[in-house]
Amino acid sequence: MIEFTVAATVLLGLALAALETAHWHRTRQLLGVALLEAARAGSTAGLAPGSMADAFETGLLPLYATASPTGARARLRQAHVRRAQAAGLPAWRIDILSPRRAHFLDFNGGNRSGGFHAAPVDALSPDYLPERHAAHRQRWPGGRGPRSGDTVFDAAVLHLRLRYLHAPLTPGLGALARALGRERRDAEGQAMARAGLLPIVLELQLTMQSLSTWPADWSQAQGEIVMAP
């Protein structure tokens, strides 16, 4: 009887570990697809935060699939609200690491080189990059802007970083996350650990396809979309 109990416990543990691993990888895969959809929306809609957020959550709907699309979206929102309340943090956050404010200052439309594009003064254009880089090289070493230290090619790349609060299926893994979280020094990490949530972090880069304008009221964040300073 003791041998059976030990064997059953080991087998149950292995089964739960396999289940959690499959759930983790499926979530990461769908998050990668959703992040790509957000990047596509941002690259074609001039970094519009509303379009990016909607595209991200739409891409994530298969993770909460039901018989109807409206039911899937309701499940997604409910799950995100629960996690946000438990951790005191947004259930997900996308940081726009590039383009940055320094890119706008170095390569905006008011800083034209040779009249290659007619972008507004406070906007970045993805057009005529080789010609503009050649012109910038005559002004700056290597064509690198004095504020950003990057080239106009770098400024035309949308670089996103996603942080998503993942909820384990089994209570045991949540308890383990809380125990390990006591060693975390950062406030966000401790908050996630107390809630029994695990962070999934992904990054993605995509070339900008449209004119992007620095929003006047976007000094820090628009909901879950955060622009780097």
Side-chain angles (χ1 to χ4, degrees), residues 48 58-59 67 91 109 122-123 154 160 165 179 188 199 222:
T58 299
D122 205 17
D154 300 318
L160 303 180
L165 298 184
E188 278 199 4
Q222 290 286 322

Side-chain angles (χ1 to χ4, degrees), residues 1-222:
M1 186 66 179
I2 296 178
E3 291 83 355
F4 173 79
T5 303
V6 172
T9 302
V10 172
L11 289 175
L12 179 61
L14 291 175
L16 291 176
L19 180 64
E20 284 290 359
T21 301
H23 180 50
W24 174 274
H25 284 291
R26 178 171 179 264
T27 302
R28 274 185 66 91
Q29 183 180 25
L30 290 174
L31 284 172
V33 173
L35 184 59
L36 177 59
E37 292 301 317
R40 285 173 174 169
S43 69
T44 57
L47 301 179
S51 298
M52 294 176 66
D54 184 64
F56 175 77
E57 292 197 337
T58 299
L60 203 56
L61 289 180
L63 190 60
Y64 300 90
T66 62
S68 68
T70 54
R73 192 170 290 276
R75 282 190 63 197
L76 178 147
R77 293 287 170 80
Q78 290 168 4
H80 287 179
V81 167
R82 287 196 300 268
R83 294 173 198 181
Q85 291 176 344
L89 300 168
W92 62 269
R93 188 184 74 195
I94 294 177
D95 292 302
I96 301 178
L97 304 181
S98 176
R100 297 177 284 112
R101 182 57 174 165
H103 291 145
F104 282 84
L105 295 174
D106 284 338
F107 305 110
N108 63 61
N111 190 12
R112 297 187 181 93
S113 296
F116 295 118
H117 60 110
V121 170
D122 205 17
L124 285 176
S125 169
D127 299 330
Y128 300 101
L129 295 180
E131 293 85 352
R132 290 162 58 198
H133 178 64
H136 289 314
R137 288 183 63 186
Q138 298 178 11
R139 305 173 56 205
W140 305 318
R144 297 186 176 277
R147 300 172 183 85
S148 64
D150 293 330
T151 68
V152 71
F153 294 108
D154 300 318
V157 173
L158 177 60
H159 184 182
L160 303 180
R161 180 176 61 209
L162 166 71
R163 191 270 294 138
Y164 187 81
L165 298 184
H166 173 68
L169 291 176
T170 55
L173 192 56
L176 179 61
R178 284 190 287 272
L180 295 177
R182 298 191 186 100
E183 304 300 322
R184 296 287 298 267
R185 300 299 180 187
D186 58 300
E188 278 199 4
Q190 291 177 356
M192 286 184 277
R194 284 194 298 269
L197 300 170
L198 301 171
I200 295 179
V201 179
L202 299 174
E203 293 194 20
L204 184 146
Q205 296 185 33
L206 199 66
T207 302
M208 291 293 297
Q209 302 294 323
S210 66
L211 190 73
S212 56
T213 304
W214 182 273
D217 60 345
W218 210 5
S219 58
Q220 285 244 337
Q222 290 286 322

